[in-house]
């Protein structure tokens, strides 16, 4: 027996137990142990049926993703499952927790499946840029049909036990002790004279191949740039068009292609990075956390309302404070509207709407929040206003309450300095819409206490966010890097590239939209005010591009005024505007810039490389502790394409030397001010290393 799989007998029932914490992943020893256990129990004449069960928190949750980089080793999962499926004795999978990926594929290789009511099953390989490579694309369609198989495998979701039973994936939902129930199910099979039942022997239903073409057309835009969804469709198609073994061969061929793809490497990197980001280097794992039972949000505007929803969604009572009743009423109405819309889409019930609304308690009095465990300020982005709020909070809130600011760029240390408790102050930078965007930039101040950091990082996951810890600087991590891209994209337009050309280059790279479409959507006046504040603070750019400011001064603020950089005749489709083209030409002329044709490659380099260089400076300054923090921020806060892994992962993929050489080239063309390679970038290039060698 292996140290992760054991087998025994109980009467005429053979038992196989997998015990490989934390999620019983199918590492080599588990695969070998399964094979050995099945073979021994099949050879034991006293055994008439077999039950497969897992110890710990869950049934097998998939292949061991760690092995993908190092190689899988023998025995492969496909032959192990084949041994089970062709066994002469019935095998029952007893499922709890999450039977996912290879775990569900193992269960599908068994002849029967029972599960606890709380169990979930699924084939989420698509999220790793892969496809079920151990028969999932051939067996599941035989059980559930083409339409459900496409939804389940391309969607990659988790299916609750009841739905899985309705689909025919599991045979029975059992209660009480799972092992006892599994044994009882196996004994009843024997009593009823039921033997092995192999899914491979099911003749798939006849389907019109158009179902696959239509499904592919339906996902084309959303899955643009990904490979796995389209390979999965082809595998499922094979399940209906080819004999089982040929379908398995097709599945293996396409699986191998994905495993070798840069897209899957990027997505597997993100899987681990999204878990690693929650672990703060230097912060002991056992750092005591403060108990967060209640919260309060200051400000019922768009951000404050969205933040309050996150707490209500997590079942945490939250007070929403606004000094003016009319603003409070407006904020609550917006929150209710958001929930009603979600309910209309069937994602929550009407009862959920009422439950969550009941958790949000409006108030206009600071007295009502003095007992809460955490306060998040989400008022107007002005330092004086925020300082006033924190002075009030300092005087009202109980000792030990965490005082957080949702500021998107302001100095958290300066805000903390107006309180007597800077150790309790932290930044929690939500991204708009706050109830939708997963990213939370948690900003540690100079004096923020370790337990406050640990508490807020843990609270991030609890309210459904991915928290990344960053330091205090202008724009923290995301906006600071975005500023570099925004600056260069504006320069490129002055020099002759059109806004639509730049938008297309970044859309084709994989962003949901280009910088100028995004700017019009966010509102040009937002950026205009930020630039105005920076100029007032004496932060003058060495090269100041004014063409967007001129557009704003024409009263064109973007989509909301039906005109900005683009025209919007239908309110949302950007149309290039000759008026803007002439304005840009005039600004270029005023700046003494001779416009020229600019290649897409130059646009991509000048938009992406300054972001990466800024990321290198951020790492040097310790504003982000690791490159993975930066990648997670960009993937979850700015729509960076997951199949490229994030700016720092992608930089390593293309080679830092290429970035460094481009910097040298552009420094000769535009001067060194904006084309000074970060010392870390220079160092890594000299050492022939990447950011992920740090
Ligand atoms: N391999 C290795 N480690 C894994 C793992 C896996 N499949 N799944 C989780 N972990 C680690 C994770 O890194 C973390 O480690 C700990 O377990 C707890 O995870 C052949 C090719 C199961 C729903 O995609 O979705 O099968 O940080 O923090 O929030 O066709 O983990 O503690 O050191 O996420 O309770 C398909 C991936 C693989 C499932 C639990 N399976 N895992 O969530 O805990 S490919 C998956 C999850 C495959 C076959 C193909 C979740 C979870 P650490 P966690 P959680």
């Amino acid at each position: 027996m292996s140290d992760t799989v054991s087998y025994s007998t109980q009467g005429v029932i053979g038992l196989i137990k997998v015990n490989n914490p934390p999620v019983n992943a199918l590492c080599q020893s588990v695969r070998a142990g399964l094979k050995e256990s099945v073979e021994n129990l099949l050879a034991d004449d006293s055994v008439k049926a077999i039950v497969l069960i897992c110890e710990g928190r869950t049934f097998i949750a998939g292949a061991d993703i760690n092995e993908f980089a190092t190689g899988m080793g023998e025995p492969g999962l496909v032959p192990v499952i084949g041994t089970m499926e062709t066994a002469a004795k019935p095998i029952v999978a007893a499922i709890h927790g999450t039977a996912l990926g290879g775990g569900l594929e193992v269960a599908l290789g068994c002849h029967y499946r029972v599960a606890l009511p709380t169990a979930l099953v699924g084939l989420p390989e698509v999220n790793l840029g892969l496809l079920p490579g151990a028969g999932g694309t051939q067996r599941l369609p035989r059980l559930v049909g083409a339409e459900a198989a496409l939804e389940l495998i391309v969607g990659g979701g988790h299916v609750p036990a009841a739905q899985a039973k309705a689909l025919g994936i599991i045979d029975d939902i059992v209660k009480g002790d799972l092992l006892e129930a599994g044994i009882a199910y196996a004994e009843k099979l024997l009593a009823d004279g039921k033997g092995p039942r192999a899914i491979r022997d099911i003749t798939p239903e006849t389907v019109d191949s158009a179902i696959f073409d239509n499904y592919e057309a339906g996902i084309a835009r959303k899955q643009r740039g990904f490979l796995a969804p389209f390979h999965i469709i082809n595998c499922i198609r094979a399940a209906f068009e080819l004999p089982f073994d040929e379908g398995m061969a097709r599945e293996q061929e396409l699986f191998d292609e994905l495993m070798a793809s840069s897209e899957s490497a990027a997505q597997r990197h993100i899987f681990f990075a999204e878990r690693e980001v929650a672990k703060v280097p230097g912060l002991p794992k056992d750092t005591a956390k403060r108990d967060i039972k209640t919260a309060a949000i200051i400000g019922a505007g768009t951000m404050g309302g969205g933040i309050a929803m996150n707490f209500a969604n997590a079942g945490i009572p939250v007070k929403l404070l606004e000094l003016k009743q009319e603003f409070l009423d407006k904020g609550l109405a917006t929150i209710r509207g958001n929930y009603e819309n979600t309910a209309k889409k069937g994602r929550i019930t009407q009862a959920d709407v009422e439950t969550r609304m009941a958790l949000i308690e409006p108030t206009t009095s600071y007295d009502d929040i003095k007992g809460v465990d955490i306060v998040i300020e989400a008022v107007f982005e002005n330092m004086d206003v925020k300082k006033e709020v924190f002075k009030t909070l300092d005087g009202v809130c109980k000792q030990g309450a965490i005082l957080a600011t949702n500021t998107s760029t302001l100095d958290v240390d300066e805000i903390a300095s107006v309180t007597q408790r800077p150790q309790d102050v932290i930044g929690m930078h939500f991204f708009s819409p706050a109830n939708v965007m997963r990213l939370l930039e948690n900003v540690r101040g100079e004096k923020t206490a370790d337990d406050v950091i640990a508490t807020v990082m843990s609270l991030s996951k609890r309210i459904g966010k991915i928290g990344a810890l960053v330091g205090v600087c202008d724009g923290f991590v995301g906006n600071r890097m975005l500023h570099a891209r925004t600056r260069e994209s504006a320069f490129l337009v002055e020099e002759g590239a059109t806004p639509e050309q730049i938008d297309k280059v970044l859309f084709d790279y994989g962003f949901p939209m280009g910088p100028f479409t995004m700017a019009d959507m966010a509102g040009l006046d937002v950026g205009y005010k930020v630039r105005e504040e920076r100029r007032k603070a004496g932060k003058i750019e060495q090269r100041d591009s004014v063409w967007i400011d001129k557009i704003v001064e024409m009263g064109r603020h973007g989509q909301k005024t039906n005109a900005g950089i683009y025209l919007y005749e239908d309110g949302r489709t950007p149309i290039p505007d000759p008026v803007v083209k002439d304005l840009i030409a005039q600004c270029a002329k005023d700046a003494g810039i001779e416009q020229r044709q600019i290649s897409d490659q130059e646009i991509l380099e000048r938009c992406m490389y300054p972001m990466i260089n800024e990321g290198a400076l951020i790492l040097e300054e310790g504003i982000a502790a690791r490159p993975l923090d930066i990648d997670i921020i960009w993937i979850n806060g700015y729509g960076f394409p997951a199949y490229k892994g994030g700016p720092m992962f992608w930089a390593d993929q293309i080679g830092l030397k290429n970035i460094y050489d481009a910097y040298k080239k552009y420094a000769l063309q535009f001067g060194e001010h904006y084309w000074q390679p970060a010392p870390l970038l220079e160092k890594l290039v000299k050492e022939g290393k990447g950011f992920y060698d740090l």
Side-chain angles (χ1 to χ4, degrees), residues 22 57 61-66 102 105 125 132-133 271 275 279 461:
R57 58 193 276 200
D64 185 335
I65 305 172
N66 294 297
E105 290 175 300
E125 288 87 338
F271 173 85
R275 285 151 180 82
K279 301 166 191 168
K461 184 171 182 178

Side-chain angles (χ1 to χ4, degrees), residues 21-23 25-26 57-68 72 77 98 100-103 105 122-128 130-136 158 251 255 259 271-272 275-276 279 285 461:
V23 297
L26 283 157
R57 58 193 276 200
T58 177
F59 193 79
I60 299 164
D64 185 335
I65 305 172
N66 294 297
E67 278 188 353
F68 294 161
M72 309 283 275
L77 185 55
T98 49
L100 300 173
E105 290 175 300
L123 294 173
E125 288 87 338
V126 68
N127 301 320
L128 298 169
L130 296 171
L131 56 82
H158 298 176
E251 177 188 89
F255 176 83
M259 182 60 86
F271 173 85
F272 286 113
R275 285 151 180 82
E276 205 57 32
K279 301 166 191 168
K285 201 173 177 182
K461 184 171 182 178

Side-chain angles (χ1 to χ4, degrees), residues 103-126:
L104 179 56
E105 290 175 300
V106 165
L108 295 175
C110 296
H111 306 113
Y112 301 88
R113 289 154 292 281
V114 298
L116 291 180
T118 51
L120 297 162
V121 301
L123 294 173
E125 288 87 338
V126 68

Side-chain angles (χ1 to χ4, degrees), residues 56 89 94 112 139 160 254 391 455 463 468 476 487 597-598 640 645 650 686:
K89 302 173 183 176
Y112 301 88
R139 292 191 176 92
L254 294 180
K391 281 177 193 163
T455 304
I463 62 173
F476 311 134
R487 180 194 70 226
Q597 287 291 326
I598 297 179
F640 198 99
W650 179 70
K686 284 200 176 102

Side-chain angles (χ1 to χ4, degrees), residues 623-637:
I623 297 297
R626 303 156 293 190
L628 71 87
D629 298 287
I630 296 173
D631 286 340
I632 290 303
I633 284 168
W634 269 85
I635 298 261
N636 292 284

Side-chain angles (χ1 to χ4, degrees), residues 298 321 323 366 369 375 377-397 403-405 410-411 414-420:
I298 313 296
L321 184 144
L323 294 182
Y366 273 95
I369 68 166
V375 182
E377 163 273 314
V379 299
F380 183 60
E381 189 72 356
N382 172 283
M383 182 56 87
D384 294 340
V385 173
K386 291 186 184 297
K387 283 181 174 179
E388 276 312 305
V389 169
F390 272 79
K391 281 177 193 163
T392 307
L393 293 175
D394 195 29
V396 168
C397 295
L403 308 181
T405 169
L410 299 176
D411 186 327
E414 190 177 341
I415 293 172
S417 69
V418 301
T419 73
Q420 303 301 313

